[in-house]
């Protein structure tokens, strides 16, 4: 699986136009290899954040070459943001939750939590092992975590991405489970820095893959 992480700085005066354009991305629901796309406002930083998931780099690359620019032109979003950052990479770890499959988790989630982690040299293997043994099971046991993935954007950069059923479920996890998991994880040994994003999802920004059109098969 392949993930794309997008951040757009959107002035307050342009948010309505940007949001209207984001809804127009529903047109890519029939794209071959699309798993799904979600997004919302990262209120603390004044950004729009979008996470797209594809079955692999080939389907993602084909979409970027053949359809992306055409769809973007139709959205009317050009000029509605002052800066954009994008990064893409391979899914290196699935985090099991309450939903059996990732498309279902994307469709029903209300909150996206992303930890943008910069890993110290030589610590990537241990970092992933801790995600597998400590964080993944711990979040699943908390209740409300629908599913998650860990995307490698660079040798030293990983996105730990989880989808939650509600803000209340994530708040309960942070209060009742996170402190003990943090103590077990030994984060200072692995990480140079971490930037957290907590994004209430705009439901009408979600793009659900049209399976009948061959999407999600890559």
């Amino acid at each position: 699986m392949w993930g794309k992480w997008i951040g757009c700085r959107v002035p307050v005066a342009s948010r309505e136009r940007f949001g209207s354009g984001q809804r127009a991305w529903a047109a890519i629901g029939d794209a071959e290899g699309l798993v799904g796309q979600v997004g919302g406002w990262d209120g603390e930083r004044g950004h729009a954040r979008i996470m797209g998931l594809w079955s692999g780099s080939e389907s993602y690359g084909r979409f970027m070459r053949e359809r992306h620019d055409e769809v973007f032109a139709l959205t009317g979003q050009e000029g509605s943001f002052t800066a954009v950052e994008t990064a893409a990479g391979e899914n290196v770890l699935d985090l099991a939750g309450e939903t059996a499959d990732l498309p279902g988790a994307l469709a029903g989630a209300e909150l996206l939590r992303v930890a943008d982690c910069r890993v110290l040299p030589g610590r990537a293997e241990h970092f992933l092992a801790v995600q597998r043994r400590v964080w993944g099971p711990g979040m699943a046991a908390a209740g409300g975590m629908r599913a998650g993935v860990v995307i490698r954007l660079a040798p030293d950069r990983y996105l730990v991405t989880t989808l939650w059923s509600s803000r209340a479920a994530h708040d309960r996890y942070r209060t009742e489970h996170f402190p003990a998991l943090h103590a077990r994880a030994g984060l200072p040994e692995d990480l140079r820095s971490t930037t957290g994003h907590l994004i209430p999802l705009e439901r009408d920004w979600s793009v659900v893959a049209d399976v009948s059109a061959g999407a999600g098969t890559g």
Side-chain angles (χ1 to χ4, degrees), residues 100-132:
D101 59 77
L102 195 54
L106 289 165
E110 293 188 1
L111 188 76
L112 174 67
R113 164 65 179 173
V114 175
D116 191 343
C117 301
R118 305 283 181 153
V119 180
L120 290 167
R123 300 298 297 181
E125 184 175 344
H126 184 264
F127 168 79
L128 289 174
V130 170
Q131 300 303 317
R132 188 180 299 110

